[in-house]
Amino acid sequence: MSWMSSEEYANTTSYKLSLLSDTKRRGYKVSVKNLNSWFGSKQALKDINFDVKENTVTALIGPSGCGKTTLIRCLNRMNEMTSSATVKGSVYLDDIDIYASNVDPVIIKRRMGMVFQKPNPFPTMSIYDNVAAGLKLNGIRNKALIREIVEESLKGAVLWDEVKDELGKPGLSLSGGQQQRLCIARALAMQPEVLLMDEPTSALDPIASAKIEELMNELRKELTVIIVTHNMQQAARVSDYTAFMYLGELVEYGPTKQIFENPQKELTERYISGKFG
Amino acid sequence: MTRLLDLGIDRIQNIIMDMAKLSEKSVTTAIESYEKGTSTKKVIFEWSEQLRVLQDEVGDLAIELIARYQPVATDLRFIRSCMEIAYGFSRFGRYAYDIVDVLETMGSITNCDKSAVLEMSCTVREMIRISVQALQSKDKNAAEKLYQMDDTVDALYRKYLREAITPYEKTDKRSFDPRCYISALLILRYLERISDHACYIGDSVHYIVTGTSSPRR
């Protein structure tokens, strides 16, 4: 290493990298370290470790009860809403351990939005208010700004063209697929960095599902997407990385191409090939 | 319970084994025709056509299985490889036909020295046998052996080619009949191509078993 002044050294890449957290330095948006979870005495997640790269789509697959939903809910501390749930281990969002005592879970949920299996627009609210609700709850009062964000969010969810002339209609007046995109728009309005999707198309018909899948592909340019899906073909279509879970363990995690063409674990091969049980 | 996909995979496997037998028979018969001077062009043409039809059948079935069942992992690699293997067997049939076609075109070559072709044909027929065996037993290591044998085949071909283009001396004991050299060279070339395709079948078996493909030599 050559001799250099402090000022020169401060401008070097190695110094700048040394300031970053381990997660960020390695180019990961989310890092899960030794994550364990219980519901009462029943262990739902066992020593989960994996890293999620920024601007990718990661699919969590596995049979029912394997812990996919528990895992995705642990990623933004939503599991804490279940009274019997406990968690041990760490989840890093960039350089923040979201389970650290000084971290506000509300901020984590804002940075890591969630879309659920069944579209759940606020039933008494209009399309516009559904998207604006989160902003207002977070104290934004500037109507012009809210209008701008609502429009951007609906555009981001590829719903704007379909609803722009009827923003005052109830959210529930939309079709199932549109309602799900409305929920995505609602999540996008908070400008999350990570979007967690728990079986977002399982209640939708194939056309609506295809739109959500296309949307995921677009969203990946702006944020990081983690999706739980029972549909393996969907995982193969939309994701860059796939994690296969079984009985609370992460059996195999890797590039989707590898998982579906040449899985390294016999259990993964059997599950994705439909040879299970 | 049998997966629906397995019914299709079994069917592809059956067709591939039919192709293996027919293509092996085609090459063996063609070489015997060269050795004994018998005429088998018609029957080998029919076999070659059958192989082509079977190759199409494998391709159609593979596409159907992919479209209907979205196979993954070993299933997907097997189906993809079967399309390549079916092409290989179809080429065996075509080269067998090319060999007997040479015999028809050249007329009588009874007095030619046939040792080079017969020597190479022994190796190539063994390679066909090994490639079929590898497919049946999913032997991922067969490819290595096939490539070693292919090197021998290539060396034989180059040796004969050099000999064929060496100018005649007054004391030369080689045949002056151009039909001998041309027929032998063409047939050696076809055998050399069959040898290549046997290696590709070995590659496909390796890919099915391991999921990794090595660059073709």
Side-chain angles (χ1 to χ4, degrees):
Chain A
M1 190 178 156
S2 61
W3 288 93
M4 59 179 75
S5 68
S6 303
E7 197 177 72
E8 285 168 338
Y9 179 58
N11 282 321
T12 61
T13 309
S14 56
Y15 174 73
K16 285 175 182 166
L17 283 175
S18 73
L19 297 178
L20 297 173
S21 68
D22 187 44
T23 302
K24 203 159 189 171
R25 185 163 58 240
R26 291 182 295 138
Y28 300 124
K29 188 68 188 171
V30 178
S31 279
V32 178
K33 307 276 184 207
N34 306 319
L35 188 72
N36 291 270
S37 171
W38 292 264
F39 291 107
S41 59
K42 184 175 164 42
Q43 188 162 9
L45 296 178
K46 299 170 187 168
D47 231 9
I48 306 288
N49 287 282
F50 71 108
D51 301 306
V52 177
K53 282 187 180 168
E54 195 163 13
N55 299 116
T56 59
V57 176
T58 298
L60 306 180
I61 62 168
S64 296
C66 70
K68 306 181 295 288
T69 294
T70 305
L71 176 57
I72 204 169
R73 288 169 66 90
C74 282
L75 296 183
N76 75 343
R77 294 184 64 167
M78 192 156 277
N79 64 316
E80 291 175 341
M81 294 165 80
T82 308
S83 58
S84 63
T86 50
V87 170
K88 199 176 154 193
S90 306
V91 174
Y92 288 91
L93 173 62
D94 290 332
D95 48 357
I96 298 169
D97 179 355
I98 67 165
Y99 283 100
S101 55
N102 59 345
V103 170
D104 180 355
V106 174
I107 290 176
I108 294 303
K109 288 187 184 75
R110 201 179 295 157
R111 291 181 65 185
M112 301 176 94
M114 177 84 96
V115 175
F116 300 92
Q117 185 175 356
K118 283 186 183 165
N120 56 351
F122 299 129
T124 57
M125 289 186 191
S126 66
I127 295 168
Y128 183 93
D129 286 339
N130 257 281
V131 183
L135 300 170
K136 290 175 183 170
L137 274 172
N138 278 278
I140 299 176
R141 296 281 173 264
N142 183 329
K143 285 185 180 174
L145 178 63
I146 292 175
R147 201 175 307 121
E148 191 183 320
I149 295 175
V150 167
E151 183 176 335
E152 282 307 308
S153 303
L154 286 166
K155 281 178 179 170
V158 198
L159 188 58
W160 175 251
D161 288 341
E162 294 163 54
V163 300
K164 64 184 175 193
D165 299 325
E166 46 194 30
L167 293 172
K169 277 191 171 180
L172 285 179
S173 66
L174 299 172
S175 70
Q178 287 174 322
Q179 285 184 30
Q180 191 62 304
R181 278 181 284 146
L182 178 62
C183 293
I184 293 172
R186 189 174 66 191
L188 293 181
M190 301 311 296
Q191 300 179 317
E193 296 151 56
V194 178
L195 190 60
L196 307 170
M197 305 176 99
D198 189 0
E199 296 187 54
T201 62
S202 61
L204 305 181
D205 67 40
I207 304 294
S209 298
K211 281 197 172 172
I212 301 286
E213 289 181 10
E214 287 163 16
L215 177 55
M216 273 185 249
N217 193 41
E218 287 301 311
L219 292 175
R220 152 185 21 213
K221 294 169 189 165
E222 301 297 325
L223 40 83
T224 304
V225 179
I226 301 174
I227 172 180
V228 165
T229 178
H230 267 124
N231 181 335
M232 278 179 286
Q233 280 67 43
Q234 180 175 69
R237 281 193 298 271
V238 304
S239 69
D240 303 295
Y241 293 86
T242 297
F244 168 57
M245 297 183 66
Y246 186 62
L247 298 176
E249 292 181 30
L250 181 59
V251 176
E252 188 167 351
Y253 175 58
T256 297
K257 180 178 160 59
Q258 181 191 302
I259 297 290
F260 284 94
E261 281 184 20
N262 190 17
Q264 303 300 299
K265 300 278 174 68
E266 172 71 20
L267 199 57
T268 315
E269 162 105 26
R270 284 177 51 218
Y271 179 71
I272 62 170
S273 304
K275 295 174 185 166
F276 231 57
Chain B
M1 204 190 295
T2 309
R3 295 179 308 158
L4 295 175
L5 172 63
D6 285 335
L7 301 174
I9 285 179
D10 286 349
R11 177 72 192 125
I12 285 194
Q13 212 160 316
N14 293 339
I15 300 172
I16 290 286
M17 288 325 294
D18 289 347
M19 292 185 78
K21 283 181 193 157
L22 191 54
S23 62
E24 200 172 354
K25 188 164 80 171
S26 301
V27 174
T28 303
T29 306
I31 295 300
E32 282 171 2
S33 292
Y34 173 74
E35 188 179 5
K36 296 172 185 165
T38 51
S39 174
T40 53
K41 186 176 175 182
K42 191 166 177 287
V43 69
I44 290 186
F45 176 75
E46 282 169 12
W47 291 343
S48 170
E49 281 299 291
Q50 270 182 45
L51 284 164
R52 205 178 51 73
V53 170
L54 289 171
Q55 184 205 340
D56 288 346
E57 208 173 311
V58 168
D60 289 345
L61 194 49
I63 293 298
E64 185 186 344
L65 294 180
I66 291 168
R68 293 179 68 180
Y69 305 112
Q70 295 93 43
V72 294
T74 306
D75 296 329
L76 179 62
R77 300 200 302 267
F78 178 80
I79 291 169
R80 176 198 151 172
S81 298
C82 278
M83 290 198 271
E84 292 182 8
I85 291 166
Y87 175 69
F89 286 140
S90 172
R91 293 312 298 165
F92 288 177
R94 177 64 210 195
Y95 290 127
Y97 174 73
D98 288 339
I99 289 170
V100 288
D101 189 46
V102 166
L103 303 180
E104 290 268 325
T105 310
M106 294 293 162
S108 174
I109 50 168
T110 323
N111 297 322
C112 296
D113 175 9
K114 296 177 179 172
S115 59
V117 168
L118 294 178
E119 184 188 352
M120 190 193 279
S121 73
C122 280
T123 310
V124 169
R125 282 161 66 183
E126 177 65 3
M127 289 176 75
I128 295 175
R129 195 192 63 74
I130 291 172
S131 64
V132 173
Q133 177 71 34
L135 189 57
Q136 285 174 311
S137 61
K138 301 268 193 316
D139 178 3
K140 65 177 180 181
N141 299 317
E144 194 54 42
K145 182 164 191 201
L146 286 166
Y147 273 109
Q148 282 169 10
M149 294 171 87
D150 186 50
D151 288 342
T152 310
V153 168
D154 288 346
L156 275 171
Y157 176 67
R158 280 194 297 271
K159 182 184 158 207
Y160 196 80
L161 187 61
R162 274 197 301 274
E163 200 179 312
I165 59 174
T166 305
Y168 284 93
E169 300 292 330
K170 278 185 182 173
T171 54
D172 215 320
K173 287 179 184 167
R174 289 180 294 164
S175 169
F176 285 91
D177 187 346
R179 289 178 305 176
C180 294
Y181 270 111
I182 294 169
S183 60
L185 264 178
L186 285 169
I187 294 170
L188 288 171
R189 180 65 180 156
Y190 298 139
L191 289 172
E192 189 271 327
R193 293 298 300 134
I194 291 172
S195 164
D196 286 344
H197 282 282
C199 290
Y200 301 156
I201 290 172
D203 283 340
S204 293
V205 173
H206 184 272
Y207 172 69
I208 293 169
V209 178
T210 66
T212 55
S213 43
S214 41
R216 282 200 175 155
R217 291 191 214 171

